[in-house]
Amino acid sequence: MKYSRMVHSSFFLSLLFAFSIFSSQTAVAFIGTYGVNYGRIADNLPSPLAVVTLLKAAKIRNIRIYDADHSVLRAFRNTGIEIIVGLGNEFLKDISVGEDRAMNWVKENVEPFIRSGTKISGIAVGNEILGGTTIELWEVLLPAAKNVYYALRRLGLHTMVEVSSPHSEAVFANSYPPSSCTFRDDVVPFMKPLLAFFWQIGSPFYINAYPFLAYKSDSSHIDLNYAHFEHSDGIYDAKTKLHYDNMFDSMVDASYAALEKAGFPKMPVIVSETGWASKGDADEAGATVENARTYNRNLIKRLKKRKGTPYRPNMLARAYVFALFNENLKPGPTSERNFGLFKPDGSIAYDIGFTGLKYSSATRCRLGTFLNVLVSAFVFMLLLLHCL
């Protein structure tokens, strides 16, 4: 009897320990409903300190970077801006080998900056790994993510820093209509264990969703208004009996459908990248300034409504816009270098409601006139006082 009680007690303590690892407070890496991706593959960008000023002026509170650049992290100290840093694909094999290597990376690139006031709220482990062409990285993604999480836990940072991994649409076998979406058969053996781990630690599913890319690949069959959140007939999903008036919502709900079929119906979805190119090659349909303005303006309006999607009306839609700046050194088609919301001098590339750093010529003219009047009045008052 005593032995039986000891066994039950030991079993209970083991369960309690396991529960404590994945319970209590979990990290939340998002304030509000929208943020911006801060890519830096360029040679003409403003300094990180200037970028902080720009983000504050535009009231952007969430950003993602694709590395853990120390100059950027120092610049964001005590700003209150939430940052997700990136653990690059090139590090995954090494990090997956052991927790000690993850610990070294976290101690060098995360912990000291958090301790000094930078709000690192998440680590994106790799980018678009599953479904990609580098198959050997598929196998190391989960071990790398686990090692990063356990390193954070040992340092007491796991309740402040979320661990995640963004995916591309390539993980899906199909996504139209939304309810039919499933993960690719070859991706499933890697995706399910990854989702199980992220579900245990409270991390959402991150997806890079681009209506621009869908429109570019099939512009003769996709209504531009549907891609732009403008008035259109939309689409009807016969299985769910839901109507979609924009492609963004249908892409998010396709993710929810795939997650549900994989056994994770309550996992939140966050769009880690979405945007529209303002310039492209001759064969890149829709890549214009006007289209980029329309999509991003309507996207921000939609996100500010703080509502869910047709399939998940109670799950807040959240997204990071790609990107803060054009990146003139990015390889690939012209569109890859032209997703920026702002110009390198800090002025807006096109108006979607954000405030830039640089005054327009009209503003400078009005300001100059006002200052001239003010100086003249001051001189007149001095002369008047002298005469008295």
Side-chain angles (χ1 to χ4, degrees), residues 10 17-18 53 104 162 179 200 208 211 217 247 309 317 327:
S10 176
F17 175 74
T53 305
N104 290 338
E162 173 191 272
S179 63
Q200 286 177 320
N208 296 341
S217 66
M247 187 181 291
T309 56
E327 297 175 80

Side-chain angles (χ1 to χ4, degrees), residues 110-118 155-157 160:
V110 177
E111 184 189 25
F113 299 99
I114 290 178
R115 305 298 187 201
S116 61
T118 301
L155 295 170
L157 301 176
M160 294 185 284

Side-chain angles (χ1 to χ4, degrees), residues 19-28 149 153 156-162 200-203:
F19 178 75
S20 69
I21 290 179
F22 301 120
S23 64
S24 69
Q25 184 182 356
T26 55
V28 178
Y149 175 78
R153 185 169 184 86
L157 301 176
H158 63 293
T159 60
M160 294 185 284
V161 183
E162 173 191 272
Q200 286 177 320
I201 65 174
S203 295

Side-chain angles (χ1 to χ4, degrees), residues 45 73-74 88 133 142 145 157 161 180-181 208 236 268 302 308 322 334-335 339 383:
L45 300 184
L73 297 179
R74 282 192 295 268
T133 56
L142 177 56
L157 301 176
V161 183
S180 70
C181 189
N208 296 341
Y236 177 73
R302 186 259 179 269
F322 189 88
T334 298
S335 61
F339 277 88
L383 290 173

Side-chain angles (χ1 to χ4, degrees), residues 40 48 65 67-77 83 85 104-113 116 118 120:
R40 304 188 322 282
I65 60 177
D67 53 20
D69 184 271
H70 291 190
S71 64
V72 173
L73 297 179
R74 282 192 295 268
F76 280 79
R77 184 179 298 156
I83 307 174
V85 300
N104 290 338
W105 189 89
V106 171
K107 281 187 173 181
E108 180 182 351
N109 298 291
V110 177
E111 184 189 25
F113 299 99
S116 61
T118 301
I120 299 176

Side-chain angles (χ1 to χ4, degrees), residues 140-199:
V140 300
L141 178 57
L142 177 56
K146 284 185 174 181
N147 286 339
V148 169
Y149 175 78
Y150 293 133
L152 290 169
R153 185 169 184 86
R154 281 173 57 190
L155 295 170
L157 301 176
H158 63 293
T159 60
M160 294 185 284
V161 183
E162 173 191 272
V163 177
S164 64
S165 187
H167 306 285
S168 75
E169 296 270 330
V171 298
F172 300 133
N174 59 292
S175 58
Y176 180 84
S179 63
S180 70
C181 189
T182 57
F183 291 113
R184 278 168 36 185
D185 288 342
D186 59 335
V187 168
V188 168
F190 301 92
M191 180 64 82
K192 276 194 172 182
L194 184 69
L195 292 175
F197 176 65
F198 284 158
W199 175 252

Side-chain angles (χ1 to χ4, degrees), residues 16-323:
L16 186 62
F17 175 74
F19 178 75
S20 69
I21 290 179
F22 301 120
S23 64
S24 69
Q25 184 182 356
T26 55
V28 178
F30 212 114
I31 297 174
T33 56
Y34 67 89
V36 176
N37 289 277
Y38 174 21
R40 304 188 322 282
I41 306 177
D43 60 6
N44 60 351
L45 300 184
S47 70
L49 284 172
V51 170
V52 168
T53 305
L54 171 63
L55 293 171
K56 287 184 173 181
K59 295 182 173 59
I60 296 170
R61 303 170 66 192
N62 305 283
I63 68 161
R64 294 177 70 243
I65 60 177
Y66 294 88
D67 53 20
D69 184 271
H70 291 190
S71 64
V72 173
L73 297 179
R74 282 192 295 268
F76 280 79
R77 184 179 298 156
N78 298 321
T79 62
I81 296 172
E82 303 270 350
I83 307 174
I84 292 181
V85 300
L87 175 61
N89 297 356
E90 66 273 21
F91 298 112
L92 295 187
K93 288 183 181 179
D94 183 59
I95 296 295
S96 71
V97 171
E99 188 184 323
D100 58 332
R101 302 191 183 191
M103 178 65 77
N104 290 338
W105 189 89
V106 171
K107 281 187 173 181
E108 180 182 351
N109 298 291
V110 177
E111 184 189 25
F113 299 99
I114 290 178
R115 305 298 187 201
S116 61
T118 301
K119 294 195 73 173
I120 299 176
S121 57
I123 299 173
V125 180
N127 186 48
E128 299 188 339
I129 298 297
L130 300 185
T133 56
T134 313
I135 305 298
E136 58 267 28
L137 292 184
W138 295 21
E139 297 178 351
V140 300
L141 178 57
L142 177 56
K146 284 185 174 181
N147 286 339
V148 169
Y149 175 78
Y150 293 133
L152 290 169
R153 185 169 184 86
R154 281 173 57 190
L155 295 170
L157 301 176
H158 63 293
T159 60
M160 294 185 284
V161 183
E162 173 191 272
V163 177
S164 64
S165 187
H167 306 285
S168 75
E169 296 270 330
V171 298
F172 300 133
N174 59 292
S175 58
Y176 180 84
S179 63
S180 70
C181 189
T182 57
F183 291 113
R184 278 168 36 185
D185 288 342
D186 59 335
V187 168
V188 168
F190 301 92
M191 180 64 82
K192 276 194 172 182
L194 184 69
L195 292 175
F197 176 65
F198 284 158
W199 175 252
Q200 286 177 320
I201 65 174
S203 295
F205 179 80
Y206 281 90
I207 184 71
N208 296 341
Y210 285 91
F212 165 70
L213 296 180
Y215 179 79
K216 184 179 78 166
S217 66
D218 195 13
S219 59
S220 60
H221 294 99
I222 295 176
D223 184 352
L224 184 61
N225 285 339
Y226 175 64
H228 275 176
F229 304 89
E230 299 279 87
H231 179 73
S232 71
D233 292 336
I235 67 166
Y236 177 73
D237 191 323
K239 181 179 179 181
T240 58
K241 296 181 172 54
L242 294 173
H243 178 264
Y244 290 86
D245 58 14
N246 69 83
M247 187 181 291
F248 175 85
D249 281 0
S250 71
M251 285 180 159
V252 174
D253 275 353
S255 296
Y256 279 123
L259 288 169
E260 186 173 296
K261 293 182 180 73
F264 302 92
K266 295 184 179 180
M267 179 173 279
V269 172
I270 295 179
V271 176
S272 37
E273 290 183 16
T274 189
W276 200 284
S278 60
K279 185 179 180 182
D281 296 321
D283 61 348
E284 294 191 284
T288 68
V289 171
E290 183 56 37
N291 284 338
R293 177 192 295 115
T294 302
Y295 177 79
N296 286 316
R297 181 186 62 228
N298 289 339
L299 170 69
I300 296 299
K301 283 182 180 178
R302 186 259 179 269
L303 295 172
K304 283 183 174 179
K305 290 179 180 177
R306 301 180 65 85
K307 67 175 187 176
T309 56
Y311 193 54
R312 289 287 187 267
N314 297 321
M315 303 283 270
L316 201 64
R318 295 175 289 178
Y320 289 87
V321 183
F322 189 88

